[in-house]
Every structure is written in structure tokens, then in C-alpha cells.
Amino acid sequence: MRKKFVKTNNVKKFITMMNNLQNRAEGVPGMGLVYGEPGLGKTFAITWWAIQNNAVYIRCANNMSTRWLLEEVVEELGEIPYTKFSDIFNQAVAQLIKQPRIIIVDEVDYITIDSKAVETLRDLHDKTDCVIVLIGMSSANRRLMRHKHLYDRISEIQKFEIFTKTEIAQIINELSEIEMTDCAKNFIYSKTKRFRQIVKLINKAEQVAKANGLSSIDEIILKEVMIDDEPNQNDELNSSNSKNG
Ligand SMILES: Nc1ncnc2c1ncn2[C@@H]1O[C@H](COP(=O)(O)OP(=O)(O)O)[C@@H](O)[C@H]1O
Ligand SMILES: [Mg+2]
């Protein structure tokens, strides 16, 4: 399988959103929100963008406290966090004023339960005017609405959409080293709309095709691959409902 970054429609919209945030008019708040189901390529697109734009990337974790979040920010800014809580916040502010960076907070769902952590991100934005982008699951939008002061500052919102048939075909064409028949592409479309699973299927089907000296992948190979992988596939489908994206 080719190691490639596919510029899906979601990715293109995301790039536009980041440009809008960076070039916003004076007085327009600079917070953004990206949300959508797991496996649609949010983290992949955002980390790709973060590397190219020297943005700070933070991934929230279960039970992440406000202090932990701020420490991560300070460390990503290249500093050693102070000991006192209020000092850490001021340290992050001072550093961001000195050297403005875009802050990306992935898996934000973990901190939407604790209002303090999200309110701290709002404070950080107010004090520094740095762009802060939150990334979460489908429910993130609804959950963040409860934090009215923060939600007011979100000037750009993007939902990562499920792939269309044409997009799935484009993804397969770009990633699969071995050609896939139209029937095989339609079969994948009927089974999954998630990047993670598409990637897994292409990978396995390529292995089978290579082992058998085949020059194209058809529906039969895919069905075989899916039977072999059935327990794992089901696990992923079940867990994706409860897991963060
Ligand atoms: N734009 C892309 N180009 C190529 N592969 C991708 C792309 N987006 C996602 N993937 C693949 O799909 C997997 C799942 O994507 P991920 O970003 O983790 O989804 P999400 O954060 O929405 O749950 C990635 O690990 C990667 O293998
Ligand atoms: Mg993710």
C-alpha cells in the first residue's frame, strides 16, 4: 500500500478553515472546532497540517486535569512548567505572546466533562489571541454548546463528513498499489465508510493478491479477507461507538 496523504474533501475544507482562522478580521475570535465520527481522518489531517505549520498538537486523555493540559501546552512550547498552577497559566500566556503558535487540542471530548479545562483554553485564547482548534467526536459540538462563553468564541466549525462512493474510489486509487475492480470498490463502499477500515482492507487484500500473483483485486478477495478479519472488524465497529475519534 502506498504511504500517501489523500486530500479528501474533508481535508480540503479543513485547510480552508485553518486559512480563515489565520486570516480572520480584527475582533473576530480565533477558536475553531472540528468534529465527526471516528476513523474519518481527523487526527491524520490535523497532525499533517500541524507539522507543516509548526502548530502545537495536544492530545487529551482520560481524566486530564486543567493542570495536566496546561503543562502539556507549556512543554510543547519548549519550556519546563513552573510548579504553581497560576504560574503555569501565566507561563503559557507569556510564551504565546512572545512567540505566537496555533494550538490544536485533539480528543477534546475527554475534557468537555470538566468545565475548568475548556474554560482555561478560552482564557488562553482571550489573553493571547492565538488560534485554538478543538477536535472531537460527533457529540463534541453539542457538548461544547453548554460552555457558552467558549462556544461564542468558536468562529469556524467543520464537521468531517462520511465518504461518498466517488471519494472511496479516489482513496482506493491513491492508496492501493494493486488495481481494484469497480465491483471491489463498490463492495468496500457497501461495507465501510471509514478510513481506518478501508486502509486495513486494502492492506490485507494486497497481501493476498501478492501471495497469489494476482494483478488486480476483486470482490472475492475482499470477501475472503473480511471473513479472516471478521472478529477484529466487528470489535472495531462496536468500539467506535464508544471510543473517541
Ligand atoms: N488523508 C489521509 N490519507 C491517507 N490515509 C489516511 C488519511 N486520513 C486517515 N488516514 C488513515 O486512516 C487512519 C484513521 O484516521 P484518523 O485520523 O485516526 O481518524 P479519526 O481521527 O477521524 O478517528 C489513519 O491512521 C490513516 O491510516
Ligand atoms: Mg482521532
Side-chain angles (χ1 to χ4, degrees), residues 14 17 32-36 42 46 133-137 158 160:
F14 173 69
M17 167 179 150
L33 170 66
V34 173
Y35 69 98
K42 298 182 296 298
I46 282 136
V133 180
L134 312 175
I135 323 289
M137 283 201 298
Q158 187 197 345
F160 261 53

Side-chain angles (χ1 to χ4, degrees), residues 179-197:
E179 195 211 304
M180 251 193 224
T181 63
D182 286 344
C183 279
K185 287 175 196 164
N186 288 341
F187 179 74
I188 293 189
Y189 176 72
S190 72
K191 291 293 171 196
T192 182
K193 314 276 186 293
R194 294 167 204 268
F195 236 124
R196 202 170 279 138
Q197 283 181 308

Side-chain angles (χ1 to χ4, degrees), residues 57-91:
Y57 174 83
I58 309 281
R59 186 185 180 279
C60 296
N62 203 8
N63 293 325
M64 191 175 217
S65 62
T66 314
R67 185 194 186 96
W68 179 3
L69 176 70
L70 276 176
E71 280 175 352
E72 293 258 331
V73 172
V74 168
E75 279 168 16
E76 285 296 322
L77 295 172
E79 300 268 295
I80 298 165
Y82 292 141
T83 329
K84 241 175 79 186
F85 180 72
S86 55
D87 288 344
I88 309 175
F89 179 77
N90 291 332
Q91 189 182 12

